Amino acid sequence: MLDIASKFKMTGAYIDGQWVKASSGKSFAVLNPANSEHLADVADCTKADALNAVAAAKTAFKMWSGKTAKQRCDILRKWNDLILANVDQLGALLSKEQGKPLAEAKGEITYGASYIEWFAEEARRAYGDVIPASRPNTQIVVMKQPVGVVAAITPWNFPNAMIARKVAPALAAGCTIVIKPAPETPLSALALAVLAEEAGIPKGVINILPTTQTSDVGDVLTTHPDIAKVSFTGSTNVGRHIMRNGADTVKRLSLELGGNAPFIVFDDADLDAAVEGALNSKFRNSGQTCVCANRLYIQAGIYDQFAAAFAKKVETLKVGDAFDEGVTQGPLINQNAMTKVEELVGDALEKGASAIVGAQRHELGGLYYAPTVLRDVPLNARVLKEEIFGPVAPLIKFEMEEDVIALANDSEFGLAGYFFARDIGRVWRVAAALECGIVGVNEGVTSAVEAPFGGVKQSGLGREGSHYGLDDYLDIKYVLMGGLGH
Ligand code: SIN
């Protein structure tokens, strides 16, 4: 197994360009979810540390926003290059703290870096406008300016990419940032700061606060008057809390919240492609992404065939340690996740679903859950209403297109949705009818830096990635220039 270089084993908080202990002197343990291996004791930041980080980011804002877009672009590009040059080390570190298979972890590092490269380029295209004015001797000028200091609160399922997706547009726009990574996975965040420093990102521009005091530190970051914007990826419940916290200071918000993705297979679909798509969508990161297929609706004419072919594939998925050859399924992140998955499967079985694969803890023990396929899941099962965040695929039979659209849209969430069909009229109709921010047609994985990622309904606000992603970090200023006549 690759030995991770000591420079990537940072345990301090990163505030104002310094690696510091928590003001309380306390630290917390980071464990490998695959085997409980103790990886590090990391600074457990407090409110006081959060206040220091906000002050540092505020001071740095004047200097960083004053740089030219080209200067910021050059530094971000260098950061991207350093990340890519260290993909093996960063991937191994990510696998250790998060549990995902090494190949998937390295894929995440490349995916994360793609946001840094993309927004380095976009930094130079934060164009304004000149609008024809109706008053004589005037010009209407629209300029875009960085919103200010940003707080980023990021999840454990993508410990690198979800940070990169926020920090890159923020820095490209000229903002500075304070990041609170998930307590389960702070090491990947800190390793990114090591390379940010090496790339020449000045002190105070990026600050990282590992902590288990999530509500104390989170409350500072979401209420402080010097924080202009909060960008959060996580649950809808916490998103609601952040909206309430931000109300008094009218914070700009980007919220990437929960999902409950429908995955629909119509009778006319290419069966092999649909099975492959379902596998990729459902079992990416062991089902722990907010765009994973959460409920699979299969049309009656193809239902049995799909269930058999899909179950056969799921049986072959290899579960195990991130560093073992051929493993594609890692552990769940913690005991709470295991309890939730067990409860949802138990509830579905009790209500009449049948298990065709799995539906139990994996024989490896610990936090491993067996990849699972449930069929004939009744519509009142919790597993169809709640985000599973685990390797469980519930199948539901449907008859008519209009029925499945109604079922798919019967959710407070609206992040991703997928369907497989060949009829062009149906493809257009269903793509338009699904109440989701992201739709995969004959594709099970949609994420890409060029594409806007984000949800509708209670799945959130704003878009990450793509050319839209920069706007979330820019304010529009309208300047009316008068007195231009002789
Ligand atoms: C997420 O699960 O939050 C992000 C998934 C992705 O970027 O594909």
Side-chain angles (χ1 to χ4, degrees), residues 111 115 155 157-158 162 165 233 284 288-291 447 453:
Y111 178 46
Y115 285 97
N157 61 343
F158 289 88
M162 294 306 103
R165 195 148 90 177
T233 298
R284 178 171 169 230
Q288 301 174 110
T289 88
C290 43
V291 289
S447 303
F453 187 102

Side-chain angles (χ1 to χ4, degrees), residues 8 15 17 27 38 47 82 95 114 142 152 163 239 242 276 297-298 322 340 342 346 391-392 480-481:
F8 291 125
I15 301 175
S27 56
H38 178 264
K47 266 187 177 179
L82 286 168
S95 278
S114 75
V142 174
I163 291 179
I242 289 174
E276 201 57 34
Y297 298 103
I298 319 297
K340 173 146 195 213
E342 288 190 309
V392 177
L480 175 62
M481 305 184 80

